[in-house]
Amino acid sequence: MACSPSPADVIASEGDTEPMLRTQEAKVEADQAEDCLLLVWSEQDEPDIEFDKSHDTVKGGAISCATGTSPSQFEAAIAALRDAAKSGNKARLLEQVGLPLLYIDAAGERRELTKEEVETLFDDVFDERMIEILQNLDLSQMTVDQGQGAFFELGSLWLVVDEEGGKPRVVTVNRQALDEAAEAARRQADRGQGEEID
């Protein structure tokens, strides 16, 4: 009898289960992300372990689990895109683009563009607004979608990975999503919750 918990103890421990469950779920997610990173690192010659551990979580979950590569690979791709966009060199920018490139225009029409078509339509696909987004890409602003890749600005720009642990490439430019992102930013600014984007 002395070893049995009192009813008050049972009620108290039941009330404590929710925080314990949340802690356990967070631990399971962290363990899964660690497993994903280990798998990705096994495919890389010189993984950036410290950077990857501290930057693996973004909106949507763990970069390594959702995309099959490491945060440091995304950081390198993003830096290359930023530099190419700032240089004004079309060839440098096109090196970061996967082919065929899916281009969705402002009306929502989808086209798979070959290298020649991307070069011909470069100024439409990578107009001033898209170049500005590329110049300001930041890993912390990225969202991942399990098995689909990673995106910026409500899906205006999608990057995917061709091989486990590899470097991401731009595969979709979505002008329709870019317009929607700009409109959302304007509405937010009108409510006094952010800066207006032209």
Side-chain angles (χ1 to χ4, degrees), residues 114-130:
T114 63
K115 182 178 181 185
E116 293 75 24
E117 289 172 319
V118 173
E119 288 174 355
T120 302
L121 297 172
F122 185 90
D123 292 333
D124 293 331
V125 178
F126 296 103
D127 70 347
E128 191 176 320
R129 285 171 51 211
M130 185 56 72

Side-chain angles (χ1 to χ4, degrees), residues 25-83:
E25 286 170 359
K27 185 179 184 319
V28 167
E29 285 178 15
D31 289 346
Q32 287 173 339
E34 182 72 21
D35 290 346
C36 292
L37 279 172
L38 289 171
L39 184 63
V40 166
W41 291 334
S42 71
E43 300 295 327
Q44 297 176 343
D45 293 333
E46 296 179 22
D48 190 339
I49 293 170
E50 291 308 313
F51 182 91
D52 291 343
K53 282 184 174 181
S54 58
H55 293 87
D56 197 33
T57 302
V58 293
K59 188 174 180 183
I63 293 171
S64 57
C65 293
T67 68
T69 199
S70 59
S72 54
Q73 289 285 53
F74 268 96
E75 181 63 21
I78 289 167
L81 280 166
R82 271 194 315 255
D83 291 346

Side-chain angles (χ1 to χ4, degrees), residues 157-198:
L157 188 72
W158 278 86
L159 290 87
V160 298
V161 179
D162 297 329
E163 58 187 35
E164 193 79 25
K167 186 178 173 185
R169 296 173 69 80
V170 173
V171 293
T172 304
V173 173
N174 187 335
R175 289 299 314 280
Q176 187 177 38
L178 179 60
D179 292 345
E180 289 169 7
E183 182 57 33
R186 272 193 285 277
R187 284 195 305 270
Q188 195 174 24
D190 289 345
R191 291 193 303 264
Q193 297 176 340
E195 295 180 15
E196 187 168 344
I197 297 175
D198 294 329

